Each structure stands twice: as structure tokens, then as C-alpha cells.
Amino acid sequence: MILYIDTGSSTVKLYEWKEGKVKLLKTKSFDFKKDFNSDYGLSEQGERELVNYFLNIRNDYPGTKIKVFATAIFRKMSKPALRKLSEKILQITGLHFDVISQELEGFYLEQALSVRYISNKPLLLINIGGGSTELIIKQDGEVLERVYLELGVRTVLARFPHINDEFSKHSLEEVLKFVKTKLPQKTIVIPVAIYNGGELTYMEVAGYDLDKNEVFEDIDHPRMINLAKFQARNREIFQSVQLSELEKYMPEDPLWMHGARACSAIAQAICEKFQVKTIVPSDSNTVHGMVRQELLVRD
């Protein structure tokens, strides 16, 4: 068994690789962007919380091999700040803190999401983050285009401050309209999108009307949903599902749900723009591609 800790700007995810399968064990939300400074790194509180979280995992799994990798905000840290943080993590926890490049993260993500997709029809990969979004357009196994958007969950939360009231005071339609102003003017028609970031679990617990994945066969991607069903449930979650109810859907990390409305609206706007008909929700992430690549190297 190997444990992987995926460290992002706002979420740290712990995965287990065992008997050929990757399993998400738990997630925890953080606010590492608060008082972040590229020259000095995380705030004292943020650094303390991160180190303590790593230490708790280390203590909970004695003798287990643990790999830690980081993305997003950690790439923006100065070399001295990153070296200081890495040395502190190693000294206290014994774990090596590895910040991977955006290019390598993208490669792993493509491996995780689309390696089983064999249709010759175009495919859209949607990776929505806190402050940015990456779209990858593929066909016949090749990347046709990468689109990086300065748009993420925090962008929407800042623009629509009452989206996380018990019932959103902002309509889904006005959020969609705003998001579409940030999307590329020219697009092509893409029938299938794979939408990752814990979305399979989210859609299952939040009551989306999912069907069996008929597009491609992959144990990590068992379900799909058509755009009309996705739109309908998104509207309900904006209008008639209380935030406190959403939090109950994920009791181990209720703060995760504070990005649910914003993230779904971004995904819906993207799918409408590209005329996507079928969405495959995915829990796969960078770590899934990392494991698949490591297995290829071993073989």
C-alpha cells in the first residue's frame, strides 16, 4: 500500500493505492491563500495547519510509504520560501514535499481521465480550480488545444457573494451569463466532456440523475449524465436545496460544498458553450494518472 497526499490551494486529499486501485480516503479544506505572500509563502497559521495535518497522517499510518505532491499556489512560492517549507515538513514529519509543474500535472490528469476513451469524436476535459480553469480538447488520443482561463470557484464566489446563502440569492442564469463572458469566443462542438474534481461523488450524494457510462468502459468512470439532467439539478440546488442540506451530504468535509454551486455553474456554462451532450463525472485526479504512469514504468 502507498499513500498519496495531493496538496492544493484549498483542499488536501489523501489517497490510498492498494491492490491496483486508487481510493480517496479523506479530504480536508484549507484556506492557504489567506495572507499568502509569494516571497514568504504561507501564513504562520496556514503553515502550522499543513504541517500538523501531514504529521497526523504520518502518525495514523506508521510504516506506510507516503508520497506528497503539491500544485497551484505552491508553484507561486519563491525558491527560498519553498525550500524553507519543504525542510520544515521533512524535519517534523519525515515527508518529502514535491511541487510538480503545471505541465506535469496536466499530463497526469490526461492519463487519469481519458486513457480509456477510444472514440474518434472530440473530447473535452474540464478541470475547475479555485482561481483558474483548464480545458483540454482531445481527439484520437491527441491534444488539439489547451485553454487556460483566469476563472475559478473563487472568481464566482467573489462576484456573487450571496451564492452560499441558505438559498442562493443569485439565480443560476445570472451566474451562467457572467461565466460565459470569460469563455473563449470561438468554440467547436464537442459531444462528450469528462468533468473532474470529486464530481462523481458529489453528483451521487447530491442526487443527480446519473446513468451508466455508455461512452467508454473504465472502472474509475462508471456513470454519466446528459446535459438536460445536469442543468435541471443545478437549478434545484440553487433554488430549492439549502446550503445546510448540501453540507450534510458531505459531513466529513462540509466546507467542500461551499464551492458546489459555483463550480457546477462554471461547468454548465462550459458545456453549453461547447454544446456538450454527455458529461462523465470523475473522481479521478492527478494521483490516478501518477499511479498509472508509475505502473507503466515498472512494467
Side-chain angles (χ1 to χ4, degrees), residues 2-54:
I2 301 175
L3 296 180
Y4 291 81
I5 304 176
D6 179 353
T7 314
S9 299
S10 57
T11 307
V12 178
K13 300 176 181 178
L14 176 65
Y15 293 90
E16 171 193 78
W17 180 78
K18 186 178 181 181
E19 298 177 351
K21 294 182 180 179
V22 176
K23 179 183 179 181
L24 177 63
L25 297 181
K26 61 181 178 179
T27 68
K28 184 172 177 60
S29 296
F30 294 88
D31 189 8
F32 294 133
K33 279 189 172 291
K34 185 177 181 182
D35 298 326
F36 173 81
N37 182 292
S38 59
D39 291 331
Y40 301 102
L42 304 180
S43 66
E44 288 186 14
Q45 179 180 343
E47 184 175 290
R48 183 169 58 253
E49 290 177 348
L50 179 62
V51 173
N52 286 340
Y53 189 68
F54 287 167

Side-chain angles (χ1 to χ4, degrees), residues 143-252:
V143 175
L144 300 182
E145 186 177 0
R146 298 177 190 272
V147 180
Y148 296 99
L149 305 173
E150 292 296 321
L151 167 74
V153 171
R154 285 192 305 275
T155 317
V156 173
L157 295 179
R159 178 64 176 79
F160 301 96
H162 298 291
I163 197 172
N164 278 333
D165 288 4
E166 276 298 289
F167 297 106
S168 174
K169 287 189 171 64
H170 309 286
S171 70
L172 174 59
E173 286 69 26
E174 64 180 303
V175 179
L176 292 173
K177 184 178 179 180
F178 166 75
V179 172
K180 288 178 181 178
T181 65
K182 308 293 183 181
L183 301 182
Q185 293 303 306
K186 293 183 179 180
T187 57
I188 62 174
V189 176
I190 305 179
V192 178
I194 302 178
Y195 170 32
N196 82 296
E199 297 306 322
L200 175 59
T201 294
Y202 166 67
M203 289 192 198
E204 287 178 335
V205 301
Y208 285 76
D209 187 5
L210 299 171
D211 300 306
K212 182 180 182 294
N213 184 1
E214 302 288 352
V215 179
F216 61 97
E217 189 172 343
D218 185 354
I219 191 172
D220 292 328
H221 297 94
R223 313 299 294 275
M224 68 181 193
I225 187 170
N226 67 44
L227 181 60
K229 291 180 179 179
F230 184 59
Q231 292 166 322
R233 185 54 177 162
N234 285 346
R235 183 168 290 103
E236 290 174 350
I237 286 174
F238 264 73
Q239 295 178 349
S240 55
V241 178
Q242 293 179 304
L243 181 66
S244 56
E245 186 66 22
L246 286 175
E247 291 175 339
K248 290 177 184 177
Y249 293 153
M250 202 170 286
E252 71 283 359

